[in-house]
Amino acid sequence: MPARDPDAYPALSARYADFFPGQPVATPRSETFRWPGGSLQLDRHGPPDADATVLLVHGAGGYGRMFAPLAAGLADAGHEVLAPDLPGYGLSTAPWNAIDYGAWKQALLALIETEHQRRPRPIVLLGASIGGYLAYLVAAESPWVRGLVATTLADPRDPVVQAALVRQPWMRALLPTLRPFSRLTRGLRVPVRWFTHMQRMSRDPALTALVCADPLGGGNRVPLGLMASLFDTAPALEPEQFQRCPVLMLHPACDDWTPVAISDRFFQRLAAPRQRVLLDACGHFPIEQPGLDQLRDALLPFVQRIAGQFAGKTIE
């Protein structure tokens, strides 16, 4: 994967670290990953000879560089971390038909396959916001994923989840028409915040304002096809059949965008070993204490446990 100049990110991309005082300083290596559907910009953190790889999966208001403070903490613990920009976000430019939940899944599956071929070792997915459900879709198909972590596990096919995600009732009523309409409109892109409650991103008004103003993240414009695909993409395995790997849900306790109750509707159906940790005082974008310490204290042992299970073994 060829290197890419990380200075291509605007200065505001570094401002997310301001909301994580005391966290390690991130020093990512920026790369471009090419796959059959296009290319992904990604940040790589941590030692190349790590015992596990953690793949960070952002949601509709984020991109890989936003995860830098979390990635730095994982890298300091000895793990390698990949933080890609999904097509249409961050620096991963893409045609309108590649900015789709299904295309995002295929891009991540291709990245995981390539990483496994280069250095076989356990891969743990960590999905944030709607990236949690996307990480589940990937884990349901990839044989190389050995652990799944999510801050939310809200299934967008569920009408209760749709009511939480979509801003207006009349917009929810139009969901069945979005897919055919998006094919007609093709390149028409609309601001993400028009469709969903981006103002509920964080309990900190300054952080919410930063996300909403960021043209690479929450201030982005996306094709209607992305919104359509979000609400009608089914997993290869429903939760009752999912036994591929253990699941850790690190859910913000004070999330008023995707409350824990709607994630529980999916989480409680999982057949795999599962653990649920509520992050005290945290909103949808968790930056508050003691929730951040609780996230670290649950996440690091989870990754280390999976790495230890496969230490010295051939991953196949």
Side-chain angles (χ1 to χ4, degrees), residues 213-237:
D214 191 338
L216 303 184
N220 194 10
R221 290 174 175 264
V222 299
L224 286 176
L226 174 61
M227 300 302 179
S229 66
L230 170 62
F231 295 102
D232 66 7
T233 300
L237 297 171

Side-chain angles (χ1 to χ4, degrees), residues 4-60:
R4 184 165 177 171
D5 181 6
D7 291 337
Y9 285 99
L12 61 79
S13 297
R15 289 178 52 196
Y16 292 101
D18 296 343
F19 296 92
F20 296 88
Q23 292 290 101
V25 177
T27 54
R29 303 178 297 282
S30 190
E31 301 176 359
T32 301
F33 168 69
R34 305 194 190 286
W35 66 291
S39 62
L40 298 181
Q41 168 69 21
L42 65 87
D43 283 347
R44 189 183 295 268
H45 304 251
D49 59 349
D51 52 3
T53 296
V54 180
L55 176 58
L56 305 180
V57 184
H58 68 74

Side-chain angles (χ1 to χ4, degrees), residues 90-231:
L91 301 182
S92 294
T93 57
W96 70 273
N97 57 350
I99 305 174
D100 176 275
Y101 222 53
W104 284 6
K105 180 187 70 174
Q106 293 303 323
L108 293 175
L109 287 169
L111 176 59
I112 290 169
E113 184 64 31
T114 297
E115 288 296 311
H116 175 77
Q117 294 301 324
R118 292 175 65 198
R119 290 188 297 269
R121 57 188 173 197
I123 291 176
V124 176
L125 298 182
L126 196 170
S129 188
I130 64 164
Y133 183 68
L134 177 58
Y136 175 83
L137 296 180
V138 173
E141 295 190 30
S142 172
W144 313 128
V145 174
R146 305 298 180 174
L148 172 62
V149 185
T151 64
T152 70
L153 271 174
D155 181 350
R157 299 170 300 164
D158 184 339
V160 174
V161 175
Q162 292 174 7
L165 293 179
V166 183
R167 291 192 65 160
Q168 301 292 342
W170 64 267
M171 291 180 177
R172 295 199 294 275
L174 292 176
L175 288 180
T177 69
L178 273 185
R179 180 71 81 174
F181 185 66
S182 68
R183 294 191 184 101
L184 295 174
T185 58
R186 303 247 173 204
L188 176 64
R189 300 182 184 229
V190 297
V192 179
R193 62 182 180 275
W194 283 9
F195 197 81
T196 190
H197 298 285
M198 199 62 65
Q199 77 280 5
R200 299 178 183 173
M201 173 62 69
S202 168
R203 300 182 72 198
D204 185 323
L207 177 55
T208 297
L210 175 61
V211 173
C212 290
D214 191 338
L216 303 184
N220 194 10
R221 290 174 175 264
V222 299
L224 286 176
L226 174 61
M227 300 302 179
S229 66
L230 170 62
F231 295 102

